[in-house]
Amino acid sequence: MMLDKIILIGLIGIVFFVPVVVTDSTTVGFTLPKQLLAQVLLSIVILAWMIKVRKGTVPKQGQSPRENRTVPILKTPLDMAIIVFLIFVLASFRNTTNSSVSLKGFTNIVGYVLLYYMIAGNLKKYEHIRWMAGAIVLAGLFVSILGIFEYMGFNIFKWEKPVTQQVQMWVTMGNSNAVAQYLIMVIPVAIGIMLHSKNFKWMIVWACIISIIGSCLILTFAKGAWLGLSGALLFFVALNARKKVALMFLTGVAAVLFITGLFANGRLTQIFREEDKDATFSGRVAMWQSSIKMIQVHPFLGSGLNNFYLLFPKFQVSKFNEVLPNRRPMQVHNDYIQLAVEVGILGLAAFLWIVVRYMKYGMSIIKSSNRDKWLTSGLVCGIIALLIHSLTDFGLQMPTPAMMMWAFMGITVAAGEGKGTVPGKRDSPRRQGFLWVIYAIFVILVLNYSLMPFMAHLAYQRGNELIVSGRLKSAVKEYEKAVRLDNSLTDGHSTLGSVYAEQGLYDKAIEELKKAVQIDNYNIEARISLAGVHRRLGEYDKSVDELKFVIDINPNLTLARSLLEMVYEEAKRAP
């Protein structure tokens, strides 16, 4: 019983605390802690499950099908598709330019898959499923309340926002689109819980919660998320074509329009009427065109997990620098194209296979079960909302929505009362040993590619704060600590190299800056700093080479051109 409680509390903790946790005011400060927290809690859950397996807790005869799924191994309808997807993810390492960066992404994917199996196999009672769903909605409510307060001017989190994004709602997610793509997954689940409730008072409570979350979604002004939710709600109506649902849907649309008119103050009309002033759409089209060129190089196995950012400058089309000068995108802004870039067309096909298998399974539950119908509809439509939004954004690359998608799939399988699943038999000692090996590998991955990068980020942030306060020596120690903890931290090597250069430690500066360039060949800041060090040492040819490389990457960068002219002039005057 104690192990079951640990597992249940851990799973509920993941879906509740991961969306709300944040550490500092940088954009990295909302991704790394979410990943680490989810993986630490998941490690505890798996450990409790493994101990349970070791003790041989096999259910007794006469227990319900749901309780029978406490056995060690659970075969689900998604197994084969998941295995094929993981195979192609591993195969993509063949072409990766940086294995450490790819292993960070692989750690996340392994965590998502293990979360799916832990949820699918350990939610034994229907009340546990309701608790999980309730935790998901309550976390969404908490984020929404914070978001509305932020919109009203109460800046609870001191985000380091770019000047162009000062009015955006970031709360615990880091930008408005990230907030929106999370909320569009939560709203269908809340609707499912509300329709499942037989108590009118509780239906009113859930309706109020949905209104608050919906209001926050509107205030994000994320058009792609609105489209994703609209498509999901239409699908919800199609799955449950009854007058009652249709009426509630129309009433919800009317309420949304009313709240929009009340709070948005004309902003909604402005959004749909204004031209592409910020080059948002044209910039994404240019990104997609560049990504197609990347796919053509490694069409089947991809270029490696998390390698899009590292390779983009090499393949970017000229139009990108015209519409978004001096910019370097972290993501494709289309999850399907990014999957094709990083794990190949075969990996993308395997992922879509997972989605199709899940949708078929979810709809079979909706058609055959009255009790699980509404909640399952909400879970399925929450994933549909994310998948639609992923056509123009990168929710699958973000820790919260990606984790929620796999959690939703696990809850759906758990809600199916064993439909389509096969309870495993008590494992042999050999198989149990194999499971412990898998667990050990996952823990090692978490320690090396989640915990160490997180600690490195904290050290790097402390270094930045010390630099601002003028404590240069202390800052250097923090930067050195950061790169020791995570040798693939490009910014750490680049900043440390620049600080060494300011101290006159040119050999150390060159060493660190070259490490930054080895990790990220197209790191403009590191190359410009490296050019500056070579210039101070009188190595003008090397300085010119670095600056020419930078100009080839970004012809619009006036700083690099000015520095190149300066180096040429100094080279002429040099003896």
Side-chain angles (χ1 to χ4, degrees):
M1 288 294 294
M2 181 58 69
L3 293 174
D4 288 334
K5 289 181 180 179
I6 292 173
I7 292 171
L8 180 62
I9 292 171
L11 294 175
I12 292 176
I14 290 173
V15 298
F16 181 82
F17 288 109
V18 170
V20 303
V21 70
V22 66
T23 56
D24 54 55
S25 59
T26 67
T27 52
V28 180
F30 76 89
T31 54
L32 291 180
K34 292 180 187 297
Q35 293 168 357
L36 180 60
L37 177 62
Q39 291 163 2
V40 168
L41 290 176
L42 181 60
S43 298
I44 295 172
V45 168
I46 298 173
L47 179 60
W49 179 76
M50 293 293 295
I51 295 174
K52 181 179 172 180
V53 171
R54 182 68 177 174
K55 289 185 175 182
T57 52
V58 180
K60 300 177 181 179
Q61 292 183 352
Q63 290 181 319
S64 68
R66 194 185 298 280
E67 291 174 322
N68 282 337
R69 284 185 276 130
T70 60
V71 294
I73 298 298
L74 176 72
K75 297 180 180 179
T76 76
L78 309 185
D79 291 349
M80 185 55 66
I82 290 173
I83 291 171
V84 172
F85 177 65
L86 290 176
I87 289 173
F88 287 126
V89 167
L90 288 171
S92 71
F93 277 77
R94 180 177 182 273
N95 301 320
T96 186
T97 58
N98 190 301
S99 58
S100 294
V101 172
S102 294
L103 280 168
K104 291 177 182 178
F106 181 69
T107 303
N108 293 332
I109 290 176
V110 172
Y112 300 148
V113 172
L114 292 176
L115 176 63
Y116 161 76
Y117 280 107
M118 287 296 101
I119 292 176
N122 288 285
L123 296 187
K124 301 177 294 182
K125 300 178 181 179
Y126 191 72
E127 63 180 6
H128 296 166
I129 294 172
R130 294 205 313 270
W131 292 349
M132 284 285 289
I136 290 169
V137 176
L138 290 179
L141 175 64
F142 181 74
V143 171
S144 298
I145 292 172
L146 292 179
I148 292 171
F149 276 122
E150 182 178 322
Y151 183 82
M152 295 170 64
F154 299 97
N155 293 318
I156 300 171
F157 301 99
K158 304 299 181 182
W159 285 104
E160 297 175 3
K161 297 181 181 179
V163 177
T164 57
Q165 299 180 6
Q166 289 298 312
V167 297
Q168 285 196 6
M169 180 192 300
W170 284 25
V171 282
T172 63
M173 299 293 171
N175 64 65
S176 292
N177 282 339
V179 176
Q181 66 195 5
Y182 166 61
L183 296 182
I184 61 175
M185 298 185 72
V186 174
I187 289 175
V189 177
I191 293 174
I193 295 174
M194 180 186 70
L195 293 176
H196 175 76
S197 177
K198 296 179 181 179
N199 187 304
F200 181 74
K201 292 182 180 179
W202 275 110
M203 291 185 71
I204 296 299
V205 171
W206 286 111
C208 292
I209 292 174
I210 293 168
S211 298
I212 295 171
I213 299 174
S215 299
C216 182
L217 174 62
I218 291 169
L219 296 176
T220 63
F221 301 107
K223 293 173 283 187
W226 296 348
L227 179 62
L229 180 60
S230 299
L233 292 179
L234 287 172
F235 194 78
F236 194 104
V237 174
L239 285 175
N240 306 278
R242 291 182 179 180
K243 293 181 180 179
K244 175 184 174 182
V245 180
L247 179 61
M248 295 191 70
F249 175 76
L250 294 175
T251 303
V253 171
V256 166
L257 293 176
F258 173 77
I259 296 172
T260 301
L262 186 63
F263 289 102
N265 295 322
R267 172 66 171 157
L268 179 63
T269 304
Q270 177 187 353
I271 284 177
F272 285 106
R273 286 183 178 178
E274 66 184 3
E275 296 178 357
D276 190 23
K277 295 179 181 178
D278 297 327
T280 302
F281 180 73
S282 55
R284 290 184 182 185
V285 171
M287 276 188 275
W288 298 339
Q289 292 172 339
S290 304
S291 300
I292 297 301
K293 293 173 63 178
M294 297 170 69
I295 294 171
Q296 291 172 346
V297 176
H298 300 294
F300 298 111
L301 298 181
S303 300
L305 279 173
N306 291 0
N307 273 221
F308 167 78
Y309 173 77
L310 298 176
L311 296 173
F312 179 81
K314 180 180 180 180
F315 295 94
Q316 67 183 14
V317 295
S318 58
K319 182 182 177 182
F320 182 81
N321 272 328
E322 295 174 5
V323 296
L324 291 174
N326 305 326
R327 296 276 293 276
R328 184 179 178 184
M330 295 290 295
Q331 312 291 350
V332 181
H333 286 77
N334 181 305
D335 278 321
Y336 309 103
I337 295 178
Q338 182 146 353
L339 280 169
V341 168
E342 296 185 344
V343 298
I345 296 173
L346 296 177
L348 171 61
F351 173 78
L352 295 176
W353 185 16
I354 294 173
V355 172
V356 171
R357 290 287 296 168
Y358 167 72
M359 290 299 167
K360 290 179 65 176
Y361 179 74
M363 285 188 284
S364 69
I365 295 175
I366 294 169
K367 292 178 180 179
S368 62
S369 174
N370 290 325
R371 182 178 66 176
D372 298 322
K373 178 177 183 177
W374 297 116
L375 178 57
T376 304
S377 297
L379 294 167
V380 169
C381 291
I383 292 178
I384 288 175
L386 175 65
L387 295 175
I388 294 174
H389 191 215
S390 293
L391 290 168
T392 57
D393 221 303
F394 47 91
L396 297 177
Q397 315 301 322
M398 305 297 288
T400 301
M403 180 270 294
M404 296 297 282
M405 186 191 79
W406 287 90
F408 282 18
M409 291 193 294
I411 297 171
T412 302
V413 172
E417 295 186 309
K419 178 181 174 61
T421 64
V422 180
K425 300 179 180 179
R426 184 170 180 174
D427 290 320
S428 64
R430 180 178 297 178
R431 181 172 293 184
Q432 289 186 22
F434 177 70
L435 293 176
W436 279 103
V437 170
I438 292 177
Y439 176 69
I441 292 173
F442 176 64
V443 171
I444 291 171
L445 287 172
V446 171
L447 290 175
N448 284 280
Y449 300 106
S450 287
L451 179 60
M452 292 298 106
F454 176 70
M455 294 176 65
H457 166 71
L458 294 180
Y460 178 74
Q461 283 299 110
R462 288 194 296 269
N464 290 342
E465 293 169 0
L466 291 168
I467 284 287
V468 172
S469 63
R471 300 167 61 185
L472 192 61
K473 291 184 179 179
S474 298
V476 168
K477 291 181 180 179
E478 292 297 332
Y479 290 139
E480 290 174 342
K481 180 180 178 181
V483 297
R484 282 198 306 271
L485 291 169
D486 182 8
N487 195 43
S488 65
L489 184 62
T490 311
D491 291 342
H493 289 294
S494 180
T495 305
L496 181 59
S498 298
V499 174
Y500 279 151
E502 291 297 324
Q503 294 178 316
L505 304 173
Y506 297 124
D507 289 341
K508 286 187 173 181
I510 290 174
E511 181 182 356
E512 291 300 324
L513 292 169
K514 283 186 175 180
K515 286 180 180 178
V517 171
Q518 287 173 357
I519 299 167
D520 179 4
N521 190 47
Y522 302 97
N523 190 310
I524 289 177
E525 291 79 9
R527 287 191 175 275
I528 288 178
S529 297
L530 192 57
V533 174
H534 286 308
R535 173 191 163 201
R536 293 181 188 183
L537 293 173
E539 299 172 345
Y540 297 112
D541 290 342
K542 293 181 180 179
S543 182
V544 167
D545 290 341
E546 294 295 341
L547 292 172
K548 283 184 175 180
F549 189 89
V550 170
I551 293 171
D552 287 339
I553 298 172
N554 187 354
N556 298 323
L557 193 61
T558 56
L559 173 62
R561 293 185 179 277
S562 299
L563 290 174
L564 183 60
E565 293 177 3
M566 191 181 301
V567 171
Y568 277 139
E569 291 178 2
E570 291 185 9
K572 290 179 182 178
R573 295 195 300 267

